Amino acid sequence: MYTPDLYKNENPEEIRAFLKENSFGILINQTDGKLCATHIPIELEMNADGKEILQGHISKLNPQAAGFKENDQILAVFTGPHSYISSSWYDYENVPTWNYIAVHVYGRIKIVDYETSVEQLKKLVDKYEANSKNPVRVEDLSEKTMREARGIFGFEIEIDEIQATKKLSQNRDDYNYKNIISELEKTENPQSIAVAKEMSKCRK
């Protein structure tokens, strides 16, 4: 991912928090000489050796899964809030741009066994059912329903490299920086307001 030095995020804690909060990603690999991508939850977890990994699952019917055996190299893309930035918000002439936060994770993928896949499902469901009025638990599902779990491949990704971008108008002076935040907040667009919130954290 091309990232000018000004926009690189090299704070491990921030990146870790971002991956946990924006875990619906895009899994990209090469299968039969073609690039394939699937939109799925990909969770940051710790393995038995205390090393951070990514984990998730994919349908056995998805042709992308066939590529994991011939080439285990993958790219997982995660995006956060983003917004158009109008140059009319500056006190000088310039071009419009786009502010955004994104993380690319490069690694090697391996399929895990059925029991591990079920454990991954339990963690995933528990995470997203935590605030439900009547939370679903994998442990409570019938044997018939759990047969559907046989239709997936659980996977783990050993992380080789993380590239993180936080492009939030860091190249603007304080006056224009604050004005961008103010204009974003006026849009009533949830994405734009989220960008304004992130910008406020970066520069008081």
Side-chain angles (χ1 to χ4, degrees):
M1 175 167 58
Y2 170 67
T3 306
D5 289 342
L6 183 62
Y7 305 133
K8 284 182 180 177
N9 184 358
E10 298 177 308
N11 184 317
E13 290 302 320
E14 279 190 14
I15 295 171
R16 187 176 292 114
F18 177 88
L19 289 172
K20 287 185 175 292
E21 293 168 9
N22 300 275
S23 58
F24 191 73
I26 305 174
L27 184 70
I28 303 167
N29 78 332
Q30 192 172 64
T31 301
D32 293 330
K34 293 182 179 179
L35 288 174
C36 297
T38 301
H39 298 251
I40 48 173
I42 309 171
E43 302 290 329
L44 182 67
E45 295 287 351
M46 200 83 74
N47 67 13
D49 298 325
K51 185 176 181 180
E52 286 185 324
I53 59 169
L54 294 175
Q55 64 179 212
H57 64 270
I58 194 170
S59 170
K60 288 182 178 179
L61 298 178
N62 188 332
Q64 183 178 7
F68 299 155
K69 294 179 181 178
E70 62 189 50
N71 183 354
D72 64 355
Q73 301 293 306
I74 64 91
L75 167 62
V77 175
F78 303 88
T79 57
H82 59 89
S83 180
Y84 176 76
I85 305 297
S86 172
S87 56
S88 68
W89 300 342
Y90 309 150
D91 63 356
Y92 57 92
E93 184 179 32
N94 208 290
V95 294
T97 188
W98 209 278
N99 279 1
Y100 66 95
I101 302 175
V103 172
H104 287 192
V105 179
Y106 297 83
R108 287 161 288 153
I109 194 168
K110 69 173 183 179
I111 301 298
V112 298
D113 58 36
Y114 173 75
E115 289 72 22
T116 304
S117 295
V118 171
E119 288 304 314
Q120 290 179 357
L121 286 175
K122 288 177 182 178
K123 283 185 182 179
L124 184 67
V125 171
D126 288 347
K127 174 182 177 180
Y128 291 103
E129 289 284 341
N131 297 317
S132 297
K133 186 176 180 181
N134 299 299
V136 172
R137 296 176 72 247
V138 170
E139 294 90 331
D140 298 334
L141 297 176
S142 68
E143 185 178 336
K144 179 182 178 182
T145 298
M146 282 305 296
R147 285 191 203 125
E148 293 186 28
R150 298 282 181 184
I152 64 169
F153 285 127
F155 61 76
E156 291 181 354
I157 297 169
E158 183 174 340
I159 298 171
D160 291 330
E161 182 182 1
I162 294 178
Q163 298 176 355
T165 297
K166 184 193 283 188
K167 183 179 177 294
L168 297 175
S169 299
Q170 293 97 319
N171 58 333
R172 306 301 172 192
D173 59 68
D174 286 344
Y175 174 83
N176 285 287
Y177 191 89
K178 290 176 181 176
N179 200 55
I180 293 168
I181 293 174
S182 176
E183 294 295 336
L184 287 170
E185 290 173 339
K186 293 175 186 176
T187 64
E188 298 185 359
N189 180 301
Q191 290 280 356
S192 299
I193 292 170
V195 168
K197 185 177 179 180
E198 291 298 327
M199 289 179 65
S200 296
K201 292 178 187 176
C202 295
R203 195 185 298 183
K204 303 296 183 184

